[in-house]
């Protein structure tokens, strides 16, 4: 074998073993979710179910009403994504293309505020929500995260590439500024808006700390909060917990697989923001 | 001319109108709360004060002074630095290693491997933490079974205070390395192939090419990834929360600063004290950020 072939072999051996280790926890989760109760608690742990069953999923949805949490998570993530796209697209476009008094200073302020960790604002935001009666409401979960400095940034960067001539031509044709934003800018910025929407959807779907703090009524819980509570009560029920984990992880993974490009573009765009 | 100036006025109006919703929300849910948190950290705001804010009294820097004498706070800070010091380098080197492998010319199906390595990033932390709790199970866990295959005795990963911290770091690294890997891949792709060609013609070997071209040109990406990873580990909350059943482990062995703040604020409702913890965390993160900026400037000079 040539040296090139050896290099290639070593390279792929490393990549494949990395892939196996990376996927192992997820594959085991999937496999154990089809086992009968108690089957996974054996030494050595079985890798595949003896006879695959949907009993754990039935238990989750029929008796434990996890379907409700699933719906809650879906509604919250969808609303958060839509609101976030509209609000941040508007601000990002204005910062990129419209001249208004205070623009430079406001933007510098946003940049500086990026270093503030989210935990600092959490307690006062909770007190604020409590004083206006939004604790234990979906609005209380979503609203604090709708406007995002990162989101504004992402759209601003993209909207800067919209040619000024296009906007001026529309102005000469008599189009109003809001109409230009809605009919020209938003369609042109579609790729970055999809990115922002996917990032926000997955961020809300996967979020744990904030819904845990805001939602007190278990009928309003999201999947993550329900799952954490389930983990406390059913710590021995490995197979049931794995089914719950599959129900929570799978939608996020599928969405990522379908919209992979957009998601990864968002992550890399964040890294060249300097 | 009149028409131009009326255009300008309309543009300014539209600009203000479009930034207004975003900026108002940021003022309401970020700027105002940060100021409020600073003020709260100077009071003894607690459960009673939630019902009646006038019950809160100013205590000056009392909360901060108390923190300095609280062994639990020092434990949490020490744990957080452990996460940063061990988790940071582990995550960054895994990401860089994976990115270098993926970026090699000879790799077939780089897209497939990239997707696989990235998958843990989009998974739900609470769910995969539940999975890892079973992987770490001392008797039935897959990890101990695998170690047993190599003749290594069973480890009580989450029950033993010494192993609970590395267990959290290992899971966090698995979960997060893919995000950094993507950024490294983008950084590597941005290095012009012609530089490597030229070096090859000049007779530079692979190690020399890596040291003289890849390392210096990847340095800004490296610093960016290092900073975001460091900040992420400083804020670690959900990993220790879920892996240790919401408590921070046996004898606070895995309590992080963010988890300590959460428990002070939202479990015991000592909001003034929790706000002071948040600001200490802020100060630490700010210091790390400024240090990184200095390093970056130094690298460019």
């Amino acid at each position: 074998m040539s040296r090139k072939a050896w290099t290639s072999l070593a390279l792929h051996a490393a990549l494949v073993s990395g892939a196996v280790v990376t996927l192992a926890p997820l594959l085991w989760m999937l496999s154990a979710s089809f086992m009968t109760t108690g089957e996974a608690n054996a030494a050595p742990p079985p890798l595949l179910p003896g006879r695959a069953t949907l009993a754990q999923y039935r238990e989750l949805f029929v008796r434990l009403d996890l379907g409700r949490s699933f719906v809650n998570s879906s509604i919250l993530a969808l609303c958060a994504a839509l609101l976030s796209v509209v609000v941040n697209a508007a601000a990002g476009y204005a910062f990129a293309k419209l001249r208004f008094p205070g623009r430079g200073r406001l933007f510098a302020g946003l940049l500086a505020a990026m270093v503030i960790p989210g935990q600092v604002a959490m307690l006062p935001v909770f007190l604020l929500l409590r004083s206006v009666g939004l604790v234990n409401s979906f609005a209380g979960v979503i609203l604090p995260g709708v406007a995002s400095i990162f989101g504004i940034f992402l759209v601003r960067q993209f909207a800067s590439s919209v040619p000024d001539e296009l906007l001026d031509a529309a102005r000469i044709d008599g189009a109003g500024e809001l109409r230009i934003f809605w009919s020209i800018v938003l369609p042109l910025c579609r790729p970055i808006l999809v990115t922002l929407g996917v990032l926000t959807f997955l961020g809300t779907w996967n979020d744990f700390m904030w819904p845990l703090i805001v939602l007190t009524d278990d009928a309003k819980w999201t999947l993550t909060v329900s799952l954490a509570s389930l983990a406390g009560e059913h710590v021995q029920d490995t197979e049931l917990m794995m089914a719950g984990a599959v129900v929570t992880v799978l939608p996020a993974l599928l969405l990522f697989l379908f919209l992979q490009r957009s998601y990864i573009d968002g992550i890399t765009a964040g890294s060249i923001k300097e | 001319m009149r028409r131009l100036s009326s255009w300008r006025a309309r543009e300014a109006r539209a600009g203000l109108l479009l930034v207004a919703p975003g900026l108002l929300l940021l003022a309401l849910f970020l700027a105002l709360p940060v100021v409020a948190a600073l003020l709260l950290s100077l009071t003894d705001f607690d459960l009673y004060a939630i019902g009646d804010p006038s019950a809160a009294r100013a205590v000056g820097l009392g909360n901060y002074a108390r923190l300095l004498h609280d062994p639990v706070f020092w434990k949490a800070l020490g744990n957080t630095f452990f996460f940063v010091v061990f988790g940071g380098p582990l995550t960054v080197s895994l990401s860089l290693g994976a990115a270098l492998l993926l970026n090699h010319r000879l790799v077939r199906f780089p897209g497939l491997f990239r997707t696989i390595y990235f998958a843990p990033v989009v998974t739900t932390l609470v769910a995969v933490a539940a999975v890892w709790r079973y992987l770490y199970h001392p008797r039935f866990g897959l990890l101990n079974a695998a170690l047993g295959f190599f003749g290594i005795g069973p480890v009580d990963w989450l029950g033993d205070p010494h192993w609970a911290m590395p267990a959290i770091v290992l899971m966090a690294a698995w979960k997060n390395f893919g995000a950094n890997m993507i950024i490294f891949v983008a950084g590597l792709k941005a290095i012009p192939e012609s530089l490597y060609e030229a070096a090859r013609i000049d007779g530079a070997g692979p190690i020399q090419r890596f040291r003289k071209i890849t390392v210096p040109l990847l340095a800004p990406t490296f610093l960016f990834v290092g900073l975001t990873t460091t900040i992420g580990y400083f804020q670690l909350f959900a990993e220790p929360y879920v892996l240790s059943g919401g408590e921070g482990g046996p004898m606070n062995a895995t309590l992080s600063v963010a988890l300590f703040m959460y428990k002070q604020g939202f479990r015991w409702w000592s909001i003034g004290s929790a706000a002071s913890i948040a600001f200490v965390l802020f100060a630490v993160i700010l210091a790390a950020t400024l240090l990184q900026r200095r390093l970056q400037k130094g690298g460019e000079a």
Side-chain angles (χ1 to χ4, degrees), chain A residues 12 15 22 99 117 206 235 260, chain B residues 11 115 117 124 134 174 235:
Chain A
H12 287 91
L15 279 170
T22 307
R99 267 152 303 185
N206 290 339
V235 80
Q260 211 183 134
Chain B
E11 188 183 330
T115 304
Y117 291 161
T124 314
Y134 294 106
W174 170 82
Q235 296 177 306

Side-chain angles (χ1 to χ4, degrees), chain A residues 68 72 136-138 211 214-222 225:
Chain A
R68 187 193 283 259
N72 291 343
N136 198 26
S137 75
F138 283 0
V214 173
L215 300 173
T216 47
D217 177 4
D218 57 10
K220 290 183 179 160
W221 279 356
T222 60
V225 179

Side-chain angles (χ1 to χ4, degrees), chain A residues 3-4 7-8 11-12 14-16 18-19 21-23 25-26 28-29 40-45 47 87 90-91 93-95 97-101 106 110 113 115-130 143-144 146-149 152 168 171-172 175-178 181 202 205-206 208-210 212-213 224 227-228 231 234-238 241-242 245 248-249 252-253 256-257 260-261 263-264 267-268 270-271 273-274, chain B residues 3 7-8 10-19 21-23 25-26 28-30 32-34 36-37 40 45 50-51 98 100-102 104-109 111 113-128 130-135 137 139-142 145 174-175 177 179-180 182-183 186 206 221 224 228 234-238 241-242 258 261-262 265-266 269 271 274-275 278-279 281-282 285-286 289 293 296:
Chain A
R3 212 182 118 197
K4 198 167 157 186
T7 313
S8 171
L11 202 60
H12 287 91
L15 279 170
V16 169
V21 172
T22 307
L23 283 183
L26 299 175
W28 187 77
M29 163 187 81
N41 292 349
L47 292 180
V87 167
Y93 161 64
F95 275 121
K97 285 290 169 187
L98 299 175
R99 267 152 303 185
F100 57 90
L106 282 171
L110 288 186
V115 298
I116 302 172
Q119 283 93 345
V120 174
M122 241 167 218
L123 293 152
V125 167
F126 178 80
L127 295 177
L128 177 71
L129 292 178
R130 198 178 171 283
L143 277 182
V146 164
S148 119
I149 300 181
I152 294 175
D168 284 335
R171 284 182 188 123
I172 289 167
E177 291 291 338
L178 292 184
F181 168 65
L202 287 177
W205 180 274
N206 290 339
F208 173 58
M209 194 176 187
W210 191 241
L212 175 73
I213 290 169
T224 53
L227 198 66
H234 295 262
V235 80
Q236 300 303 329
D237 300 336
T238 312
M241 280 309 298
M242 291 309 99
T248 312
V249 165
L253 268 180
F256 162 67
L257 283 180
Q260 211 183 134
R261 264 262 62 93
Y263 190 93
I264 286 176
I267 299 234
T268 32
S271 70
K273 65 187 171 202
E274 291 299 321
Chain B
R3 195 150 148 216
W7 270 12
R8 280 282 144 75
R10 257 176 38 196
E11 188 183 330
R13 255 201 323 267
L16 288 169
L17 191 70
L18 288 176
V19 291
L23 291 188
L25 284 169
L26 285 172
L28 205 58
F29 293 116
L30 185 65
L32 206 69
V34 169
L40 281 173
F45 204 97
I50 293 181
L100 287 170
L101 287 178
L102 277 184
H104 200 282
R105 288 171 297 128
L106 295 176
V107 171
R108 308 279 293 274
F109 313 114
F113 286 114
R114 192 186 65 168
T115 304
I116 291 175
Y117 291 161
F118 194 79
V121 177
V122 292
T123 58
T124 314
L125 189 108
V126 175
V128 293
V131 177
W132 279 79
R133 264 170 77 170
Y134 294 106
L135 296 180
H137 194 283
R139 277 180 61 209
F140 309 133
L142 213 52
W174 170 82
K175 173 97 175 66
F177 83 96
N180 293 332
I182 295 289
I183 298 170
T221 315
F224 173 82
T228 50
F234 270 126
Q235 296 177 306
L236 210 64
F237 165 76
Y241 183 100
V242 190
M261 186 211 89
Y262 168 83
F266 294 105
W269 300 106
I271 291 188
F279 269 94
L281 185 64
F282 186 10
I285 290 176
L286 194 64
T289 309
R293 293 254 163 95
Q296 188 145 28

Side-chain angles (χ1 to χ4, degrees), chain A:
Chain A
M1 250 159 76
S2 72
R3 212 182 118 197
K4 198 167 157 186
W6 279 113
T7 313
S8 171
L9 189 69
L11 202 60
H12 287 91
L15 279 170
V16 169
S17 37
V20 169
V21 172
T22 307
L23 283 183
L26 299 175
L27 292 176
W28 187 77
M29 163 187 81
L30 191 66
S31 168
S33 77
F34 295 118
M35 292 180 190
T36 51
T37 305
E39 197 180 341
N41 292 349
L47 292 180
L48 289 170
R51 232 184 79 240
T53 163
L54 287 173
Q56 311 301 338
Y57 291 93
R58 217 171 294 130
E59 171 85 0
L60 279 180
F61 283 99
V62 177
R63 214 174 63 75
L64 295 166
D65 204 13
L66 202 70
R68 187 193 283 259
S69 305
F70 191 93
V71 172
N72 291 343
S73 278
S74 312
I75 294 174
L76 279 171
L78 207 62
C79 291
L82 288 174
L83 277 173
S84 155
V85 163
V86 173
V87 167
N88 296 310
Y93 161 64
F95 275 121
K97 285 290 169 187
L98 299 175
R99 267 152 303 185
F100 57 90
R103 180 172 87 160
R105 245 172 304 153
L106 282 171
F107 196 69
L110 288 186
L111 269 185
M114 273 184 119
V115 298
I116 302 172
Q119 283 93 345
V120 174
M122 241 167 218
L123 293 152
V125 167
F126 178 80
L127 295 177
L128 177 71
L129 292 178
R130 198 178 171 283
S131 68
V132 293
L134 285 180
V135 165
N136 198 26
S137 75
F138 283 0
V141 179
I142 296 178
L143 277 182
V146 164
S148 119
I149 300 181
F150 173 74
I152 294 175
F153 226 94
L154 212 59
V155 178
R156 176 182 173 269
Q157 232 179 4
F158 195 90
S160 306
S161 64
V162 172
D164 283 322
E165 295 77 27
L166 200 67
L167 304 177
D168 284 335
R171 284 182 188 123
I172 289 167
D173 287 344
E177 291 291 338
L178 292 184
R179 184 155 170 189
I180 293 175
F181 168 65
W182 194 258
S183 327
I184 298 176
V185 176
L186 280 188
L188 282 175
C189 289
R190 222 183 96 154
I192 202 68
L193 300 185
V194 173
T195 301
L196 182 59
V198 175
L199 286 172
T200 313
F201 184 96
L202 287 177
T204 312
W205 180 274
N206 290 339
D207 191 20
F208 173 58
M209 194 176 187
W210 191 241
L212 175 73
I213 290 169
V214 173
L215 300 173
T216 47
D217 177 4
D218 57 10
K220 290 183 179 160
W221 279 356
T222 60
L223 269 177
T224 53
V225 179
S226 295
L227 198 66
S229 148
L230 218 60
E233 295 161 28
H234 295 262
V235 80
Q236 300 303 329
D237 300 336
T238 312
E239 305 79 15
L240 182 75
M241 280 309 298
M242 291 309 99
V246 170
V247 169
T248 312
V249 165
L250 206 60
L253 268 180
L254 288 178
L255 186 71
F256 162 67
L257 283 180
F258 280 117
L259 295 169
Q260 211 183 134
R261 264 262 62 93
S262 305
Y263 190 93
I264 286 176
D265 284 351
I267 299 234
T268 32
S271 70
I272 43 171
K273 65 187 171 202
E274 291 299 321

Side-chain angles (χ1 to χ4, degrees), chain B residues 62-277:
Chain B
N63 288 324
Y64 294 92
R66 254 215 340 263
L67 274 188
L68 295 181
H69 294 106
D70 185 351
V72 181
F73 170 72
W74 286 106
K75 179 78 192 162
L77 196 65
N79 286 345
T80 302
F81 273 100
F82 181 99
F83 290 135
V84 170
V85 169
F86 290 96
L90 176 67
T91 312
V92 172
S93 36
L94 278 177
S95 326
L96 184 59
L100 287 170
L101 287 178
L102 277 184
N103 199 50
H104 200 282
R105 288 171 297 128
L106 295 176
V107 171
R108 308 279 293 274
F109 313 114
L112 176 69
F113 286 114
R114 192 186 65 168
T115 304
I116 291 175
Y117 291 161
F118 194 79
V121 177
V122 292
T123 58
T124 314
L125 189 108
V126 175
V128 293
V131 177
W132 279 79
R133 264 170 77 170
Y134 294 106
L135 296 180
Y136 281 143
H137 194 283
R139 277 180 61 209
F140 309 133
L142 213 52
L143 191 61
N144 275 351
L147 289 177
F149 184 77
F150 295 104
I152 300 171
V155 176
D156 186 3
W157 289 99
L158 296 172
D160 182 340
H162 295 292
W163 286 109
M165 290 293 286
I168 289 176
V169 165
L170 195 63
M171 186 193 79
W174 170 82
K175 173 97 175 66
N176 297 321
F177 83 96
N180 293 332
M181 175 197 73
I182 295 289
I183 298 170
F184 276 132
V185 168
L188 287 170
K189 289 250 185 298
I191 301 176
E193 189 59 32
S194 58
L195 284 180
Y196 291 108
E197 290 298 335
R200 213 171 282 134
I201 292 164
D202 288 348
I207 294 171
Q208 236 183 339
R209 289 200 299 269
F210 180 75
R211 274 191 41 216
K212 298 284 179 187
I213 301 173
T214 315
V215 170
L217 287 177
L218 206 59
T221 315
F222 195 84
L223 281 171
F224 173 82
V225 166
L227 180 69
T228 50
T229 307
T230 304
I231 291 177
Y233 277 105
F234 270 126
Q235 296 177 306
L236 210 64
F237 165 76
E239 287 88 344
Y241 183 100
V242 190
L243 279 184
S244 59
E247 286 309 322
M251 298 185 305
N252 293 322
T254 59
L255 188 72
S256 70
V257 174
L259 183 51
F260 185 43
M261 186 211 89
Y262 168 83
K263 284 171 80 173
Q264 285 277 329
F266 294 105
R267 197 163 303 160
W268 302 318
W269 300 106
S270 334
I271 291 188
S273 161
S276 69
I277 300 171

